[in-house]
Amino acid sequence: MPSGFHLHCSLLAFIIYGLVFQVHELQSAPLNVTGPPGPITVAMGEDVVLPCRVSPEQSVQDIEVIWFREHFSPFVHRYKGGQDQYGEQMLQYQGRTELLKDSLTNGSMDLKIFHVQLSDRGNYTCFVHRDSDYDEAVVELKVTASGSAPLIALERYQDGGIRVACRSAGWYPQPQVLWQDPHGQHLPSLSESVTRDKSGLFAVESSIILTRGTNQKLSCSVRHALHSQEQGSAFYISDPFFQNAHPWMTALGVALVAVVALLVIAVYLFKIKATQEAELRDCDAEIEKQAEELAWRRYAVPIEEVNVVLDPDTAHCDLVLSDDCKSVKREDTRQDIPDIPERFNPWRCVLGREGFTSGRCYWEVEAVDGGGWTVGVSREDVKRKGEIEFKPEEGIWAVGQWAGHFQALTSPNRTLLPEIQTPKRIRVSLDYEEGRVAFFSVDEEIPIFTFPLASFEGMRVHPWVWLGPGTWLKMWP
């Protein structure tokens, strides 16, 4: 055959071999899952796409993808074996999610949510699993709602003028109400109120007083907090409406004289009573303060302070322990260590080396929040592999910061602790015989949360922590 034909066949074989080798390299490359650089914002009722992709770019048709909020199960959406899995999908997402499969060959695992609700806002985790390799990324979804056009209402005569109210409902997040004169200058309001309905949407009301000849032509605008959208209404009040304002003021003056006379008598009659009530309030405040201090001392100063050392044999391979095993940091860079039965996988958890089967003790944990954290205790038989639910029924009693909320990991639902400022240093208190697990803020010297009494059934109980992306924890003392 001609030499040109042999050269053409050799070149074609070389190209085919190169493509096969490149596909093999992409499939064997470690997974690196990434999300968007910032939050995704969508208006309530619209559809939204949550982006998630792997790099380097490769086909992900043959891998498992789980989108979830706080736990693997129940999940928001699951894709495995080339099929969507709906068996354990969260009730509020049934019939409302779709994995965009057209882009799977390009390494994208974008999730589409239809008819977004206000309850959909928060953090979503895109978890990708292929053979023994896995990675995850967090996507934050913000939901907004633009409310109704402001309703202007003339309420009554007040202070020689007319009280005017501006009302609007159906907003999220909380909007801003602005009064403006014909020149666009902002005017201070007399009063403002904000309420929320059962669905979580805000309703706002603001009032202002108009007087004769000044600022009779005004506008009220309700502005969205996250973007420039706003709803506005303008109005004008002519001078004849102000004729009844001043006679009303005269009547008010007469009434005030009578009220002042009554107040003089009332002050004289209740002077002694007020003094006695003040003394009683001071006494009650002192008693309450002493009771709080006794509660703090009772639960925050147990019998024994223990020295907690973390157990490297239980630490997930992404967790890096210090030389003295007193602190741990999540690096998200897998260490080349054996996946023994005692080691947590895939959750980034680690146990304390020593456990407890009796006594009353405490230790402290200092937290530097990156992507969330939880601290507490767990039974020795806690599940180490696969999906884990952080709750007492699974042998875990803990509190922590996750998805922007400080909460206790109770069951069946988490207990949000909005009145507690997220502490930098937490004291964990364990009374084994009584079955009490309690948490305290060392920063504020106040109790945080106490779980209902539990029975450990003679099982050894260990200190336990979970770390989110970029988080660092240190054990004290």
Side-chain angles (χ1 to χ4, degrees):
M1 293 184 181
S3 59
F5 176 78
H6 287 291
L7 178 62
H8 178 74
C9 291
S10 299
L11 180 60
L12 180 61
F14 176 77
I15 293 173
I16 294 174
Y17 173 78
L19 290 173
V20 172
F21 178 78
Q22 184 178 12
V23 170
H24 175 75
E25 286 295 311
L26 285 174
Q27 291 179 343
S28 60
L31 291 174
N32 182 21
V33 179
T34 58
I40 303 297
T41 302
V42 63
M44 189 175 67
E46 296 184 357
D47 302 339
V48 67
V49 174
L50 303 182
C52 177
R53 61 180 297 104
V54 298
S55 60
E57 183 177 310
Q58 55 189 284
S59 175
V60 291
Q61 291 177 309
D62 60 340
I63 68 177
E64 181 181 11
V65 181
I66 301 177
W67 282 88
F68 64 94
R69 297 294 297 268
E70 295 183 356
H71 296 289
F72 279 136
S73 177
F75 49 76
V76 176
H77 194 95
R78 185 175 187 179
Y79 174 83
K80 183 178 181 181
Q83 299 289 332
D84 293 310
Q85 309 288 331
Y86 297 104
E88 299 181 20
Q89 189 179 31
M90 294 177 68
L91 182 63
Q92 73 180 85
Y93 294 97
Q94 290 181 5
R96 297 177 51 233
T97 63
E98 176 187 359
L99 193 73
L100 302 183
K101 302 179 181 62
D102 292 343
S103 56
L104 290 175
T105 56
N106 299 325
S108 295
M109 301 146 296
D110 301 343
L111 178 70
K112 187 172 185 178
I113 302 178
F114 299 92
H115 309 298
V116 171
Q117 306 168 3
L118 195 59
S119 59
D120 295 335
R121 68 188 188 279
N123 286 0
Y124 292 75
T125 299
C126 174
F127 181 87
V128 181
H129 178 231
R130 181 182 65 195
D131 298 329
S132 61
D133 200 9
Y134 57 86
D135 200 8
E136 63 186 33
V138 177
V139 182
E140 182 182 0
L141 176 62
K142 292 185 176 181
V143 180
T144 66
S146 295
S148 61
L151 173 66
I152 305 297
L154 304 181
E155 293 190 321
R156 61 182 179 271
Y157 292 109
Q158 181 175 335
D159 299 335
I162 300 175
R163 182 185 177 106
V164 183
C166 174
R167 304 184 181 100
S168 182
W171 295 85
Y172 192 88
Q174 180 178 330
Q176 181 183 16
V177 183
L178 300 174
W179 293 94
Q180 291 180 311
D181 64 15
H183 306 290
Q185 298 295 320
H186 290 172
L187 301 175
S189 61
L190 177 67
S191 65
E192 293 184 359
S193 65
V194 180
T195 58
R196 298 183 73 171
D197 59 21
K198 293 181 180 180
S199 64
L201 297 177
F202 287 94
V204 292
E205 178 176 337
S206 178
S207 299
I208 196 171
I209 294 180
L210 298 183
T211 56
R212 180 193 298 268
T214 59
N215 300 326
Q216 297 175 27
K217 184 177 181 181
L218 294 179
S219 64
C220 174
S221 301
V222 184
R223 182 172 299 172
H224 210 289
L226 293 183
H227 46 74
S228 58
Q229 288 187 0
E230 66 177 41
Q231 297 274 16
S233 297
F235 64 98
Y236 177 83
I237 300 179
S238 60
D239 283 344
F241 283 96
F242 294 92
Q243 292 179 359
N244 293 326
H246 293 290
W248 183 86
M249 284 295 294
T250 302
L252 178 61
V254 174
L256 286 176
V257 171
V259 170
V260 170
L262 291 174
L263 285 176
V264 172
I265 299 173
V267 169
Y268 177 77
L269 293 176
F270 292 102
K271 183 177 181 180
I272 297 177
K273 182 179 178 180
T275 302
Q276 294 174 343
E277 290 179 347
E279 293 175 352
L280 289 174
R281 285 195 298 269
D282 293 340
C283 183
D284 291 341
E286 183 64 26
I287 293 174
E288 183 178 355
K289 182 178 180 181
Q290 292 176 359
E292 291 178 353
E293 184 176 354
L294 287 174
W296 165 255
R297 291 183 180 274
R298 179 183 177 188
Y299 297 116
V301 188
I303 296 175
E304 181 184 3
E305 179 183 29
V306 294
N307 182 24
V308 175
V309 178
L310 299 176
D311 186 356
D313 290 339
T314 65
H316 184 277
C317 59
D318 285 352
L319 302 183
V320 178
L321 274 63
S322 61
D323 294 338
D324 60 359
C325 294
K326 295 286 290 182
S327 64
V328 57
K329 185 175 183 181
R330 176 169 170 178
E331 296 285 0
D332 285 332
T333 301
R334 291 184 179 85
Q335 304 174 82
D336 187 14
I337 53 179
D339 188 15
I340 57 179
E342 295 83 1
R343 193 178 308 284
F344 285 94
N345 189 7
W347 289 96
R348 278 72 169 183
C349 304
V350 60
L351 296 180
R353 181 178 297 166
E354 302 297 333
F356 311 99
T357 56
S358 63
R360 188 179 183 199
C361 59
Y362 79 93
W363 60 94
E364 295 177 358
V365 184
E366 181 180 350
V368 178
D369 187 14
W373 51 266
T374 55
V375 301
V377 301
S378 75
R379 290 200 310 264
E380 192 170 43
D381 63 345
V382 69
K383 189 177 179 182
R384 310 292 177 92
K385 306 295 183 184
E387 301 177 7
I388 309 172
E389 291 194 51
F390 299 163
K391 59 183 181 180
E393 288 83 350
E394 299 295 329
I396 295 175
W397 294 263
V399 300
Q401 177 77 11
W402 173 248
H405 300 289
F406 187 55
Q407 53 192 297
L409 308 187
T410 51
S411 177
N413 299 316
R414 303 288 177 84
T415 301
L416 298 181
L417 305 171
E419 72 281 0
I420 302 295
Q421 183 176 0
T422 303
K424 295 296 184 183
R425 192 160 170 174
I426 291 181
R427 178 170 296 178
V428 185
S429 174
L430 170 67
D431 188 331
Y432 190 94
E433 283 78 6
E434 190 176 357
R436 183 188 300 275
V437 181
F439 299 86
F440 307 86
S441 171
V442 178
D443 309 335
E444 304 290 336
E445 293 189 353
I446 59 173
I448 294 176
F449 186 81
T450 300
F451 277 87
L453 297 183
S455 174
F456 302 124
E457 301 175 350
M459 184 71 64
R460 187 174 296 273
V461 175
H462 291 261
W464 172 93
V465 298
W466 169 85
L467 292 83
T471 302
W472 172 85
L473 297 175
K474 183 175 181 180
M475 316 303 294
W476 294 88

